[in-house]
């Protein structure tokens, strides 16, 4: 069921991004007088098709991993004399450039609109309070202390965990000083300090940026208090109820929920003697986890209970409300920032400052899409907007077969006054195809390596 949900969410996400991207090409092509032969969402065998009054064929195809807009073009076949003026290749270079650029621009517009809705609905987060500093780390060198709130990095405000994460992402692979601005609880005074890094986190797959600077952020203690029990599960059969708190398993203390989860997962089909609190009374029960198999084929235990998440202290919550106007400003800035970050990351990867292990493919995208959807509408919309920005930026790269490659050929034509020769274009497309396939294979390899 979980796999099916992941697949459906991923297909839905891709369908939105592809449809918007291709509609950008389609909309501008129509307005430039270019005849559109087909608008397809997906590749392969058509599952459903229809035509409009202008004889454009609309297709929903079997492989939903992309899409395309096919336009009338003399380079791809014979064109009747009466339609030659509607062929893509016969249009002024400005019209062709506008049509090609419209796809990525549509993705940026989608991101702006989605971010606008997110900001209008309100954005919440929690303050990044330092709970632990690792000896010899970047944080210790900068003089950071337990209990301090990190309010800015390199002069950029970090009011929430997410903001701090984004600021640190921008510094991966950098050399030089990282400046931290902090303050203590119940004080408005801020202090700045810095640490020098050399190609920070370069050459490694980045999974935890906080560990990268040597800190852990405060979070409320997650005790093993049960919030829900699945009907018919081992936990239900053993008599557990909402509100029970697991304190011991086989006479070993259970301090936090993670301890309990680890203990259960390591013991599929093995009876566990559990002590738990109910209304301040200590009770005992024998619990046998079900045997489950994960994606790697490894067995693990599951008992069918969920944890009660603790509330964050109100003083650590950060809630931001935006008017329609300020939300537009914020969405434009966020789209610009994420576009710049994507380009900077590509540059660093080409320079060897960011490990190619950080390149992600369809499997990772599917997992994150599903996780963001499970986290709520705001989380999913933010992820959708980020993907849309990434798709727009990547398509503008000057690589033949991508929109950016077509734009490059168009710009050359504008400068020289004549089209790039078919031979050079063909060579460029072959090179571009090789580059794209290589990147896709690397991303897929990274995905499989993470399984």
């Amino acid at each position: 069921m979980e796999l099916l949900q992941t697949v459906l969410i991923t297909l839905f996400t891709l369908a939105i991004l592809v449809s918007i991207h291709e509609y950008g090409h389609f909309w501008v092509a129509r307005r430039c007088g270019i005849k559109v032969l087909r608008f397809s969402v997906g590749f392969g065998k058509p599952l459903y098709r229809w035509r409009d009054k202008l004889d454009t064929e609309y297709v929903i195809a079997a492989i939903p991993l992309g899409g395309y807009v096919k336009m009338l073009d003399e380079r791809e076949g014979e064109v009747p004399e009466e339609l030659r003026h509607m062929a893509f290749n016969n249009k002024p270079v400005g019209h062709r450039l506008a049509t090609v650029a419209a796809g990525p621009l549509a993705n940026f517009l989608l991101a702006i609109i989605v971010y606008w809705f997110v900001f209008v609905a309100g954005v919440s987060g929690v303050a990044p309070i330092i709970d632990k500093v690792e000896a010899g780390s970047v944080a210790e060198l900068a003089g950071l202390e337990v209990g301090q709130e990190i309010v800015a990095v390199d002069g950029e405000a970090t009011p929430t965990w997410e903001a701090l994460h984004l600021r640190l992402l921008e510094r991966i692979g950098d050399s030089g000083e990282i400046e931290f601005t902090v303050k203590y609880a119940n004080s408005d005074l801020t202090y700045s300090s810095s640490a020098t890094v050399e190609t920070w986190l370069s050459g490694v797959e980045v999974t935890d940026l906080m560990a990268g600077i040597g800190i852990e952020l405060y979070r409320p203690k997650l005790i093993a208090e049960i919030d829900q029990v699945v009907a018919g599960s081992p936990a239900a059969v053993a008599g557990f109820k909402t509100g029970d708190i697991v304190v011991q398993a086989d006479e070993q203390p259970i301090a936090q929920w993670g301890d309990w989860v680890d203990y259960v997962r390591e013991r599929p089909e093995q009876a566990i003697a559990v002590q738990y609190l109910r209304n301040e009374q200590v009770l005992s029960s024998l619990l046998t986890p079900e045997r489950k198999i994960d994606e790697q084929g490894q067995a693990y235990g599951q008992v069918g209970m969920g944890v009660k998440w603790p509330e964050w202290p109100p003083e650590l919550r950060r809630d931001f409300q935006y008017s329609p106007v300020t939300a537009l400003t914020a969405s434009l800035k966020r789209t610009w920032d994420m576009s710049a970050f994507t380009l900077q990351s590509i540059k660093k990867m080409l320079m060897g400052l960011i490990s190619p292990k950080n390149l992600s493919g369809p499997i990772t995208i599917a997992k994150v899409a599903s996780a963001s959807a499970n986290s709520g509408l705001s989380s999913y919309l933010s992820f959708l907007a980020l993907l849309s920005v990434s798709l727009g930026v990547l398509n503008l790269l000057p690589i033949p077969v991508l929109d950016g490659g077509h734009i490059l050929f168009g710009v050359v034509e504008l400068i020289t006054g004549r089209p790039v020769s078919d031979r050079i274009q063909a060579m460029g497309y072959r090179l571009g195809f090789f580059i794209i396939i290589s990147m896709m294979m690397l991303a897929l390899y990274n995905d499989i390596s993470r399984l």
Side-chain angles (χ1 to χ4, degrees):
M1 187 64 185
E2 183 179 342
L3 177 61
L4 177 61
Q5 174 184 300
T6 299
V7 170
L8 292 176
I9 291 173
T10 303
L11 294 181
F12 175 73
T13 303
L14 290 176
I16 292 175
L17 297 174
V18 170
S19 298
I20 293 296
H21 180 92
E22 299 303 334
Y23 185 76
H25 292 311
F26 171 83
W27 190 85
V28 174
R30 279 276 179 91
R31 274 139 193 84
C32 289
I34 300 170
K35 182 172 178 58
V36 179
L37 301 177
R38 176 180 292 179
F39 184 131
S40 177
V41 177
F43 299 110
K45 183 180 179 180
L47 301 177
Y48 183 67
R49 66 174 82 191
W50 71 97
R51 291 183 179 273
D52 64 11
K53 61 183 180 180
L54 296 178
D55 202 33
T56 295
E57 182 184 37
Y58 299 85
V59 175
I60 298 176
I63 306 174
L65 298 177
Y68 62 93
V69 171
K70 183 177 181 180
M71 305 172 203
L72 190 66
D73 195 316
E74 290 180 318
R75 296 169 297 182
E76 298 180 4
E78 285 192 26
V79 174
E81 183 64 32
E82 65 274 14
L83 295 179
R84 289 188 69 248
H85 68 286
M86 301 179 70
F88 177 82
N89 65 293
N90 288 331
K91 289 297 180 179
V93 65
H95 288 185
R96 284 181 275 135
L97 284 172
T99 301
V100 172
L105 292 178
N107 285 121
F108 293 131
L109 181 59
L110 172 63
I112 292 168
I113 293 172
V114 171
Y115 278 135
W116 183 85
F117 277 107
V118 170
F119 287 128
V120 165
V123 179
S124 298
V126 292
I129 307 295
I130 300 172
D131 193 47
K132 181 180 178 181
V133 178
E134 183 181 341
S137 65
V138 172
E140 187 185 54
L141 293 175
L144 303 188
E145 301 174 7
V146 172
Q148 290 178 330
E149 177 184 348
I150 302 176
V151 297
V153 172
D154 297 325
E156 294 284 342
T158 56
T160 63
W161 282 33
E162 180 186 15
L164 176 59
H165 188 266
L166 289 175
R167 296 286 79 79
L168 292 176
L169 272 175
E170 293 174 351
R171 295 305 307 269
I172 294 176
D174 285 356
S175 298
E177 288 192 344
I178 300 181
E179 182 184 54
F180 299 93
T181 303
V182 299
K183 73 182 187 73
Y184 291 96
N186 304 316
S187 173
D188 292 327
L189 296 176
T190 60
Y191 308 85
S192 293
S193 60
S194 62
T196 301
V197 295
E198 183 69 29
T199 56
W200 182 57
L201 296 181
S202 177
V204 300
E205 182 178 355
V206 180
T207 57
D208 187 347
L209 287 169
M210 301 309 140
I213 61 172
I215 65 171
E216 290 182 12
L217 296 178
Y218 167 81
R219 64 181 73 212
K221 185 177 180 181
L222 188 63
I223 63 173
E225 181 175 356
I226 300 171
D227 185 56
Q228 58 181 348
V229 177
V230 178
S233 67
V237 172
F240 286 93
K241 297 180 180 180
T242 298
D244 292 347
I245 302 175
V246 177
V247 293
Q248 279 191 358
D250 295 329
E251 298 185 353
Q252 295 188 34
I254 300 296
Q256 300 193 63
W257 176 253
D259 301 333
W260 172 237
V261 171
D262 291 341
Y263 200 86
V264 168
R265 287 183 65 87
E266 293 169 358
R267 291 165 176 77
E269 298 181 332
Q270 296 180 33
I272 302 173
V274 184
Q275 284 193 337
Y276 58 97
L277 294 176
R278 178 181 293 169
N279 298 325
E280 299 183 355
Q281 290 187 326
V282 179
L283 302 177
S284 299
S285 184
L286 201 62
L287 178 64
T288 303
E290 288 181 304
R291 180 185 177 87
K292 298 286 185 179
I293 303 297
D294 64 18
E295 295 174 343
Q296 290 79 40
Q298 300 297 316
Y300 66 95
Q302 189 177 82
V303 296
M305 59 173 64
V307 66
K308 180 179 180 181
W309 291 95
E311 294 289 332
W312 282 89
E315 65 271 17
L316 298 187
R317 292 195 58 84
R318 300 291 184 265
D319 299 312
F320 304 92
Q321 296 296 326
Y322 298 83
S323 70
V325 174
T326 56
L328 178 59
T329 303
S331 64
L332 287 168
K333 183 179 186 302
R334 177 63 63 86
T335 302
W336 175 266
D337 288 345
M338 298 315 299
S339 299
F341 169 72
T342 303
L343 281 173
Q344 187 71 9
S345 298
I346 294 171
K347 174 186 173 183
K348 288 181 178 180
M349 193 169 292
L350 291 174
M351 295 174 64
L353 298 176
I354 293 181
S355 171
K357 294 178 182 179
N358 292 292
L359 193 64
S360 297
I363 297 175
T364 299
I365 291 173
K367 288 182 175 181
V368 177
S370 179
S372 64
N374 290 332
S375 297
L377 181 60
S378 178
S379 178
Y380 174 74
L381 289 177
S382 295
F383 177 68
L384 178 66
L386 175 60
L387 272 185
S388 194
V389 169
S390 299
L391 182 60
V393 171
L394 292 176
N395 266 282
L396 285 176
L397 294 178
I399 300 174
V401 309
L402 296 182
D403 294 330
H406 291 286
I407 293 172
L408 175 62
F409 289 147
V411 170
V412 171
E413 183 178 343
L414 274 177
I415 295 172
T416 63
R418 61 180 183 275
V420 176
S421 70
D422 291 342
R423 185 177 65 86
I424 293 178
Q425 289 194 47
M427 290 174 57
Y429 290 139
R430 285 194 291 269
L431 176 61
F433 184 76
F434 173 77
I435 293 173
I436 297 302
I437 291 298
S438 299
M439 291 174 60
M440 291 174 63
M441 293 300 294
L442 176 59
L444 185 59
Y445 172 80
N446 288 342
D447 280 355
I448 294 173
S449 299
R450 298 185 186 113
L451 293 178

